[in-house]
Amino acid sequence: MRGFVTRLCATSLVAMAMAGCSGEAELDPSQTGTGEDTIELAEYPDRPYWGDTHLHTDNSVDAFGFGVRLGPEAALRFARGETVTATTGSEARLARPLDFLVISDHSDALGATRRLYDAPRWYVKWVIRDETVLRWYDMMHEGPEQSQLAIAELITAAANDDIPEAFADPERAREGAMDIWNTQLGLLDRYNEPGVFTALAGFEWTLMPDGNNLHRVVMFRDGSDRTRQTLPFPGLNTTAEELWDYMTAYEEQTGGRVLAIPHNSNLSNGMMFETTTTDGSPMTAQYAAMRARMEPVVEATQIKGDSETHPFLSPNDEMAGFGVKGWELGNLPLTQRATPDMYEGSYVRSALLRGLSLEAQLGVNPYAFGMIGATDSHTAFATGDEDNFYGKHTGNEPANENRAAEPQNLGTREGRYGWQYLAGGYAAAWARGNTRAEIFDAFARREVYATTGPRMTVRVFGGFDFTAQDWDGDWVRAGYTRGVPMGGELEDRGSSPSFLISAMKDPDGANLDRVQVVKGWLDASGNAQERVYDVVWSDMASRIRRGGRVPAVGDTVDRARATYTNDIGAGELRTTWVDPDYSPGQRAFYYVRVLEIPTPRWTLFDALRFGITLSEEAMEDAVAQERAYTSPIWLKPASSEAP
């Protein structure tokens, strides 16, 4: 197998050298670096830039096996708003282009399934001489369904640490990855256009002990002048500490910057947000500080479910439970079922609470992260729109009219179904301009937020003297000069914090139902508490709060036509909110959740498009309230009181 890989690499390297030489000669110098000093920047972050940090192409071992035949260039063209022909033959296009993109193909066995597929069968049989690999090869060539089953076996084997040597040997993987990585870095530079579109380098690190999802997307700030000095770090048989060592070494050796983004904590069976270190020993301040520095942001929502919270953890949150059906059952391949005692380590809100407790003990909060959404699409299409959902993988692209009904679990093909996939999400980054440096720095300082797909504009500032009169002046300037934006920290001043909160609907989307503040804190006994406050909502004069709850906004969705009207809700909601339950010295976080009015999910669009009848269970979930989650603002005890 070593010779097989090497020979393929040599061929690719020649092609890369030819393509690279011709492409790089045409590049503007502004495209190849971080983008600093290439465009005029706003005084303050003046708008949210929209993007996806989690997208797979045919270089990912699973995506290719699932059937995708589109590479990074198609992904970049699609993200920039061009029409691209999907693997299954249809013409695909975003209604609105994105502002930035991270292509995050799996670092393990990067490009291996494509190279295996392209090899002659005699070579696989007589040179590789691995019965499992030969069987996967034949299944991949038999057709899409068998190819998907082959990859399901591969993923399950990875979860059980039973991968054939051809896919597991780090040296061979390194040889195979080098040409793909370098080619892609040159491509990213060509499509990177400061002020217009940002192409960031990245990969997915795929640790999955016993099938429990501990994956991270790794995202670089730099252009190829620095990123060519490293290779994607493999995940199998490594640890999070080793990933952070890799990231630290990159920064020390190149002077560049890199961060990691945990995702699908909902599929980790409680392992993503443990209160211990990797080996089960008590968490130390050093470990907490490293994790906080390396992982400032978490992916809270994506195609494989929503990780904000679970109704078991938040029984008083009437809006909890979005996007948990099917995904709450267990780990990624469903080789281990989840039990409720695992949920605290699997969902973001409870992790934020754990972070407060750990900070009180250690003086460092390992889970003080901001929140983003991403797609995790394996089709090369970063689509977050319900009416333009291109599927998780090519097996459930729109060409498959039964995709909502089919079982989708990778391992057993039981327990999860197509309709349980979400169509989102996206990340919004408040930045002074659209460059690699500005987008990355927004992530690093947590001035970012997640949506489940709609492009709502949400802004939050926390301080101690904000009043309603601030809306009459330059409230953004006031927010930055007298407070902190989302992702910031406030030091306790002995009085209730106040917040300027503004939300505007997606210009092409649905009206807003309400804006909520989610507060988490430690009470006087050190116990973690949470509460959701409805702080402003549409039609407040008629929707009078009863029993502590705001009446539902209504529902205009026509199930037979997959349409809705904006006759209810509001186009914009804003308020100045003061915490009514503040206690001096309290450790707390506050994040904002914005809800749209009910709208059709992609399944309802499918029912109309294909003339199919959804199951009763799928039909009950065919309408949803899309949402946004901002990064929190933390309230900390005054320095003299901490920890």
Side-chain angles (χ1 to χ4, degrees), residues 43-111:
E43 181 181 4
Y44 300 113
D46 61 342
R47 52 156 288 195
Y49 291 90
W50 292 96
D52 186 9
T53 55
H54 193 172
L55 179 69
H56 297 267
T57 72
D58 65 353
N59 284 329
S60 283
V61 64
D62 54 351
F64 185 86
F66 288 146
V68 72
R69 297 296 180 264
L70 300 179
E73 184 154 17
L76 289 160
R77 289 177 49 222
F78 182 81
R80 292 193 56 153
E82 295 183 34
T83 299
V84 177
T85 302
T87 296
T88 48
S90 59
E91 297 292 303
R93 185 184 179 96
L94 283 173
R96 290 166 287 179
L98 294 175
D99 299 307
F100 64 90
L101 180 69
V102 179
I103 296 173
S104 56
D105 285 308
H106 295 289
S107 58
D108 289 286
L110 187 66

Side-chain angles (χ1 to χ4, degrees), residues 66 147-157 333 409-411 413:
F66 288 146
S147 182
Q148 291 169 34
L149 290 174
I151 297 308
E153 287 187 22
L154 193 158
I155 291 173
T156 302
N409 184 54
L410 296 173
R413 298 188 68 79

